[in-house]
Amino acid sequence: MENITLNVKGMSCQHCVKAVEGSVGQLQGVKKVSVKLDKGLVDVEFDPTIMSLETIKETIDDQGYDVE
């Protein structure tokens, strides 16, 4: 398992948290997702042999947020 922390811009409310955690959490190989709304951070624990970091970033981007 690999742990990453992503800087995500544009999250401002609990709806944003649910959108990101829900969409990323459904990806195969993702074990845990945690949004720190006040800091604009998303922690993801995932299996890199199943899921790529790029796909995780694209999934967040598809929800309307900017991943740095």
Side-chain angles (χ1 to χ4, degrees), residues 1 10 18 23 29-30 42 44 46 49 53 60 66 68:
M1 290 303 228
K18 289 180 183 179
S23 61
V30 173
V42 178
V44 184
F46 69 105
T49 64
L53 175 57
I60 294 171
D66 296 321
E68 295 183 344

Side-chain angles (χ1 to χ4, degrees), residues 22-53:
S23 61
V24 175
Q26 291 180 1
L27 296 173
Q28 186 176 7
V30 173
K31 182 176 180 184
K32 183 178 170 188
V33 183
S34 177
V35 173
K36 294 179 178 140
L37 186 61
D38 58 332
K39 297 182 181 186
L41 300 175
V42 178
D43 295 324
V44 184
E45 183 178 349
F46 69 105
D47 184 340
T49 64
I50 299 173
M51 179 54 53
S52 71
L53 175 57

Side-chain angles (χ1 to χ4, degrees), residues 47-65:
D47 184 340
T49 64
I50 299 173
M51 179 54 53
S52 71
L53 175 57
E54 192 58 38
T55 300
I56 293 169
K57 289 180 178 181
E58 288 173 4
T59 300
I60 294 171
D61 186 62
D62 288 347
Q63 293 299 313
Y65 309 106

